[in-house]
Amino acid sequence: MIERYENVIIDIVCSVMVPLIQLFALYVVVHGHYGPGGGFQGGVLFAVSIILLRLCLGKEASHKKFPPKLAAALAASGMLVYMLTGLAPMAAGGAFLDYGHLPIPGVSGAELRFLGITIVEWSIAFSVCGTMVLLFDVLAEGMR
Amino acid sequence: MIWQIDFWLLVVLIIAALLALEVRDLLAAVAVLSAYSFLAALLFAQLGAIDVSFVEATLGAGVSGVLFVLALFCTRRRYEK
């Protein structure tokens, strides 16, 4: 069971670090097309910020901010969106994850492929973030 | 690519790996393993594999250390029947 440990240094360092880590995670996910990074690393970074919250705030307060059910829902829905994005081009006559055949009206060509990659990156980020937080929660439940 | 940095990173990496195997306290072994992961991330970045180094730094040095410590707290300090 994780409990809150009263310490000014830990509180201040966590309250400064958590928003910075979350902002950097969003940057890594969005910047994944152009440089190193992408959905997996961004999702792991976001999950690390949530785990830091869990460690410094304790169980009750951090479960109010990010409930464990939300982690499971994020993991499952990210996987669902990924599968749908993969299967939708197959229904429209392309191959699996063939972004050029995504049935979205109004966009085509490079823009459509850009949109497909963005959707897939975000769904991977959500899925990985939920899975990591879920792993931590399950392990912390087993603690005495 | 500077071979001196590569060489000394590799030397410290191997020392950290041997230390993680040899040390008796499991908590210390987890800490040394995290240091090993971070050194490996530095080595990957030095070799030009930024993406791999990113994954190694976040997963190897960050999440896996926390998960190992949590798994350690699920166990007892000494062997009991």
Side-chain angles (χ1 to χ4, degrees):
Chain A
M1 202 63 70
I2 293 172
E3 280 158 16
R4 185 176 156 76
Y5 181 71
E6 292 284 345
N7 192 326
V8 176
I9 298 173
I10 291 177
D11 284 352
I12 289 178
V13 168
C14 287
S15 65
V16 171
M17 284 304 285
V18 167
L20 283 179
I21 295 175
Q22 289 181 345
L23 194 65
F24 186 61
L26 296 185
Y27 166 76
V28 166
V29 175
V30 172
H31 199 257
H33 308 288
Y34 310 111
F40 189 83
Q41 286 98 323
V44 171
L45 272 174
F46 203 87
V48 164
S49 79
I50 305 293
I51 289 174
L52 190 60
L53 265 185
R54 289 263 200 278
L55 287 178
C56 72
L57 283 183
K59 197 176 171 195
E60 285 82 22
S62 75
H63 277 200
K64 235 174 262 168
K65 286 195 191 299
F66 195 92
K69 289 218 171 115
L70 180 61
L74 266 186
S77 62
M79 198 64 217
L80 184 70
V81 171
Y82 182 88
M83 285 306 289
L84 285 180
T85 318
L87 290 177
M90 284 179 86
F96 187 70
L97 281 178
D98 188 1
Y99 305 124
H101 285 91
L102 269 179
I104 301 173
V107 283
S108 64
E111 213 171 321
L112 185 58
R113 281 193 286 277
F114 175 83
L115 201 63
I117 293 173
T118 307
I119 294 171
V120 163
E121 290 276 351
W122 278 106
S123 60
I124 291 172
F126 282 138
S127 183
V128 169
C129 170
T131 310
M132 289 289 160
V133 176
L134 206 59
L135 271 177
F136 179 86
D137 281 341
V138 169
L139 265 177
E141 277 302 311
M143 270 172 65
R144 281 178 302 269
Chain B
M1 188 104 165
I2 307 164
W3 76 265
Q4 284 95 343
I5 295 180
D6 276 2
F7 177 74
W8 289 111
L9 272 179
L10 196 61
V11 168
V12 180
L13 188 83
I14 292 170
I15 290 173
L18 291 178
L19 207 62
L21 284 176
E22 285 299 317
V23 79
R24 273 198 68 77
D25 190 10
L26 287 178
L27 199 59
V30 170
V32 177
L33 201 65
S34 284
Y36 165 85
S37 283
F38 192 70
L39 285 168
L42 284 182
L43 198 59
F44 284 139
Q46 166 68 15
L47 291 173
I50 307 292
D51 234 349
V52 183
S53 132
F54 208 154
V55 175
E56 186 70 34
T58 50
L59 264 186
V63 177
S64 80
V66 174
L67 291 185
F68 272 132
V69 171
L70 265 180
L72 212 57
F73 276 122
C74 291
T75 63
R76 296 222 174 84
R77 188 78 181 166
R78 301 202 178 278
Y79 176 72
E80 293 164 18
K81 281 197 178 166

